[in-house]
Amino acid sequence: IMKLFARIVVGVLALVMVLMAISLSIVRGQNESEAGWVLFESNLCGPAEIFRMANDGRYLRRLTNNPSEDQMARWSPDGKWIAFIRWHESNAELYRMRPNGRDVLRLTDNEWGDWEPRWSPDSQWIVFIAAPNNNTEIFRIRPDGTDLQQISDTAGGVSVPTFSPDGQWMAYTTSIGGVAQTDMLRSRLDGSETELISYRNFPGLYPTSTPNG
């Protein structure tokens, strides 16, 4: 009787473990579609490529696989796109793709480099830095590759812009008063209404806005 009882207990425990494994598999499957994701680049397999994983370390996935380097990946605020930079020999160009690595589209084809893509808060524009005439300026383009526009025109080059939470303004730095003087500016996303927001003789770097703008 004791042996029969022991066999029953072992059988029940095995059944419980199988059911738990099935339940855990189902839950993980649900979580994968709802997970918060971490986007990063790694050169573990050779040239830098773009990866994603859940914020708990699971579901690691490689998104790009190219002989050239893919870097500076940025999620769009609506979560539908990823903007990134792909190197072509010594020149960097702007691309976009879906979060699963599909629907890759080259957005720029310039003689100069394009870097540091940033999404407008409404996900309607990708703003980036380019260097025509060896002077960094701010450009923007639609995620479908249309409406490329230069939206800054400075003598001293610019920094990577940051956006106000409402998407109405962007702030960046440039050199108005000479190499040793760094000034902060703000403008509309189309480059209009540009104004100095730092004090003269008081250099400022890396401007950012409070959550309420």
Side-chain angles (χ1 to χ4, degrees):
I1 295 175
M2 293 297 295
K3 290 183 178 180
L4 178 61
F5 178 75
R7 289 178 180 176
I8 293 173
V9 170
V10 171
V12 170
L13 290 175
L15 178 61
V16 169
M17 291 178 67
V18 169
L19 291 174
M20 288 178 63
I22 293 173
S23 299
L24 182 58
S25 177
I26 293 173
V27 169
R28 284 188 173 183
Q30 292 172 342
N31 285 347
E32 185 172 4
S33 64
E34 301 171 358
W37 295 101
V38 177
L39 195 62
F40 64 99
E41 63 186 65
S42 173
N43 61 358
L44 180 64
C45 303
E49 302 289 355
I50 297 169
F51 295 76
R52 77 173 192 183
M53 67 179 177
N55 54 20
D56 62 1
R58 294 183 295 168
Y59 313 124
L60 176 65
R61 182 169 184 172
R62 183 173 180 169
L63 300 182
T64 62
N65 186 5
N66 295 282
S68 57
E69 294 195 338
D70 296 326
Q71 299 176 312
M72 302 181 188
R74 297 288 185 275
W75 290 102
S76 61
D78 62 10
K80 295 181 179 179
W81 298 102
I82 295 170
F84 65 99
I85 296 301
R86 174 168 292 171
W87 285 87
H88 295 268
E89 296 181 353
S90 60
N91 198 35
E93 300 291 352
L94 179 65
Y95 283 71
R96 67 105 226 259
M97 65 181 170
R98 292 293 187 184
N100 60 7
R102 299 176 182 174
D103 199 8
V104 178
L105 179 65
R106 181 173 178 170
L107 302 180
T108 62
D109 186 4
N110 299 319
E111 296 178 357
W112 54 82
D114 304 318
W115 308 281
E116 298 291 352
R118 297 291 188 274
W119 289 90
S120 60
D122 61 3
S123 300
Q124 296 301 303
W125 293 96
I126 303 171
V127 174
F128 61 98
I129 298 297
N133 303 317
N134 296 317
N135 192 50
T136 56
E137 298 292 354
I138 301 171
F139 290 73
R140 71 174 183 175
I141 195 170
R142 297 285 187 183
D144 63 0
T146 61
D147 293 339
L148 175 63
Q149 302 170 17
Q150 181 175 339
I151 53 178
S152 72
D153 186 10
T154 66
V158 298
S159 67
V160 179
T162 59
F163 296 97
S164 61
D166 61 7
Q168 298 299 308
W169 297 93
M170 62 180 183
Y172 56 95
T173 60
T174 187
S175 178
I176 296 175
V179 176
Q181 175 69 47
T182 304
D183 302 283
M184 290 185 291
L185 304 176
R186 77 167 187 172
S187 72
R188 297 292 186 181
L189 267 63
D190 62 359
S192 64
E193 300 184 45
T194 301
E195 59 183 3
L196 181 69
I197 57 175
S198 61
Y199 292 101
R200 302 299 299 175
N201 300 318
F202 190 85
L205 293 170
Y206 312 119
T208 188
S209 300
T210 59
N212 63 4

